[in-house]
Amino acid sequence: MFLYRVKQFLWYLNGKITEKDLKYIESKLNNNEIILFRKLAINEQKHCINVAMDLEKICCSKKINSYELIKVALLHDIGKIDVRLSIIDKSILVILDYLSKGRIRKFNSINKINVYYNHGEKGANILKKYGYNERFLYLIRNHHNSNIKEDEELNLIKYCDNKN
């Protein structure tokens, strides 16, 4: 777990959007979605692209229709557009969450703690205004919900999110 978090920290520091990434985004999102996506911090954009690419590979190998799931993967962290978490913020929150076994959640009146724990719900609320269907919003809302086990698409998104 520790080495994985160190690797994530380094990815976060070196997150850059390449020409290949731009072409990928343009092939998967419409113009309004691209505008919304670009409101994310660069490192969050890169994370979402990596999640989507991994998800697409898995979907191809399992012969799952991935069109909507890739959009979910690209937009799953959109709830972070209003409050940015720096690499230091995110690192501290991950450590505090681990040490407190999630008890810091009760301090969600602090914006950064709130977005850390509730960006799925915030993202679903943002995307609801754009007319996404309930299933799409459900996947965004629950991409960190560990209580839901029996949903293959959600599990794929969670797996790829955790991997990246």
Side-chain angles (χ1 to χ4, degrees), residues 10-28:
L10 294 173
W11 283 343
Y12 199 95
L13 285 177
N14 296 313
K16 292 179 179 49
I17 303 299
T18 65
E19 191 63 35
K20 178 184 170 190
D21 294 333
L22 291 173
K23 287 180 179 171
Y24 185 77
I25 295 163
E26 290 168 1
S27 74
K28 304 299 180 185

Side-chain angles (χ1 to χ4, degrees), residues 33 68 124-134 136-137:
E33 291 166 337
E68 191 167 275
N125 290 335
I126 290 167
L127 293 170
K128 189 175 193 173
K129 298 171 193 166
Y130 291 86
Y132 289 92
N133 66 50
E134 283 304 315
F136 193 98
L137 299 174

Side-chain angles (χ1 to χ4, degrees), residues 1 92-102 104 116-117:
M1 173 79 159
I92 290 169
L93 287 167
V94 166
I95 292 166
L96 289 175
D97 178 63
Y98 176 77
L99 293 175
S100 74
K101 295 179 175 58
I104 64 164
Y116 178 76
Y117 285 108

Side-chain angles (χ1 to χ4, degrees), residues 16-126:
K16 292 179 179 49
I17 303 299
T18 65
E19 191 63 35
K20 178 184 170 190
D21 294 333
L22 291 173
K23 287 180 179 171
Y24 185 77
I25 295 163
E26 290 168 1
S27 74
K28 304 299 180 185
L29 299 177
N30 66 39
N31 288 339
N32 290 332
E33 291 166 337
I34 291 170
I35 290 167
L36 192 58
F37 180 82
R38 288 189 176 152
K39 290 181 180 181
L40 285 167
I42 297 294
N43 57 321
E44 296 292 352
Q45 290 179 35
K46 186 65 175 183
H47 163 72
C48 291
I49 292 166
N50 291 340
V51 171
M53 287 179 168
D54 282 353
L55 180 69
E56 187 170 20
K57 287 177 195 166
I58 292 170
C59 287
C60 284
S61 70
K62 292 185 171 213
K63 298 187 182 349
I64 297 171
N65 183 351
S66 62
Y67 175 77
E68 191 167 275
L69 288 179
I70 291 168
K71 283 187 182 250
V72 169
L74 287 169
L75 299 172
H76 78 276
D77 280 342
I78 213 69
K80 296 178 179 179
I81 62 174
D82 292 330
V83 177
R84 298 256 170 118
L85 296 175
S86 72
I87 182 62
I88 301 302
D89 295 332
K90 192 166 185 179
S91 298
I92 290 169
L93 287 167
V94 166
I95 292 166
L96 289 175
D97 178 63
Y98 176 77
L99 293 175
S100 74
K101 295 179 175 58
R103 288 187 295 259
I104 64 164
R105 180 185 293 263
K106 66 184 173 188
F107 298 104
N108 71 359
S109 62
I110 299 169
N111 282 339
K112 291 186 181 202
I113 292 174
N114 190 344
V115 80
Y116 178 76
Y117 285 108
N118 300 307
H119 67 273
E121 185 67 36
K122 290 175 179 298
N125 290 335
I126 290 167

